[in-house]
Amino acid sequence: MRAHYFYVGAGMCHVVECPGNNAPVLLDDCGSSNSDGGLTKDQAVAAVQATTAGRPVILVFSHSDADHGNYVPDIFPNPTPVAIRSIWGGGSYANYNDRVKTWLREARDAHIPIRMNAFPDPGVTGFDPGWSNDGNRVDALQCGTANTYVLTVNSTKGANAASMMLMIDHNGEKLLFPGDATGDAQAQAVENAGNNHKPANFLFTDVLEVSHHGAESNGSNNKAWAESTLPRYLLSSAGNSYYHPRCQAIQNYRDANGARLLGAPKHLLYCGEHGQWWKYEDEPYAIFGTNSNGTLTVDVNAGGAGARTTIYCGPSQCTN
């Protein structure tokens, strides 16, 4: 399994090349409000098209914010069910921008299955507040031979809190994509895991992307979430516009009781605090950000004697 965290500046864009023969590609968000020195819109669109070419796509909008989905109509200008197996969206259709809403209606007219709240079609179903699939994998989101779980979606009102939080488990190696989840959404994911009688380590994650680009507002990336997930690798998708990721948010994962963060070759890491950048030239932990290290690629090799995860910063290996 290979996951790409494209450096699109102030936005998110993830492509997961699912494992297995004839496996689909899972595209989780793709948009930006400012390229901020990263890939331009045209470059990002071309990169995603090249990565997904010839394979069916499962498309997920974590939520309605434009910086998570405004590139999608350019990636798939003529949506067809051959190219896109299904579309899943957190939040309400009414809150998506007009161009994406027009594109979603075109996808519906092309008979692509859609699941999203308040979609203007009685045949399209949405999600109950805080929905998860009872702690079981979601077959319609299955990433090849890897299992996909919806930890929560539409947890509370507000675009960010509605984020669909996905976990992909490839033979025990877990990647977690939280969108812009707030503290309420994170707490709902933890509650759902408990309500579904999952073991205490169910949310322990190998590769965790910090939520909301590394923000700490509205409880995002709080200590309780850090201790519930205990990532081995920590990634952030952010540009330079909002001083993300925030230093305190990153520190919460370093300080988590039982922290599992791995060491890594010393590398550059920027974080923001009090309206300024802090530059760490010798970051010793496996913490990487797109605005510090460029596009990040995660390889999960779950064969042989055991799983091994390797992360690349651009073309260069940036983990041990």
Side-chain angles (χ1 to χ4, degrees), residues 31 43 47 56 60 68-70 81 135 150 155 161 174 183 192 225 306 310 312 319:
Q43 289 171 332
V60 175
H68 290 250
N70 61 356
V150 175
S155 298
K174 298 175 182 177
N192 286 348
W225 178 244
T310 306
Y312 297 87
T319 55

Side-chain angles (χ1 to χ4, degrees), residues 12-33:
M12 286 188 186
C13 186
H14 317 112
V15 176
V16 182
E17 299 181 68
C18 300
N21 294 329
N22 302 313
V25 173
L26 193 152
L27 174 58
D28 177 74
D29 285 343
C30 198
S32 181
S33 60

Side-chain angles (χ1 to χ4, degrees), residues 20 63 110 145 154 175 232 248 252 318:
H63 64 297
T145 57
N154 296 347
L175 279 64
R232 296 194 302 137
Q248 184 58 57
N252 287 340
C318 50

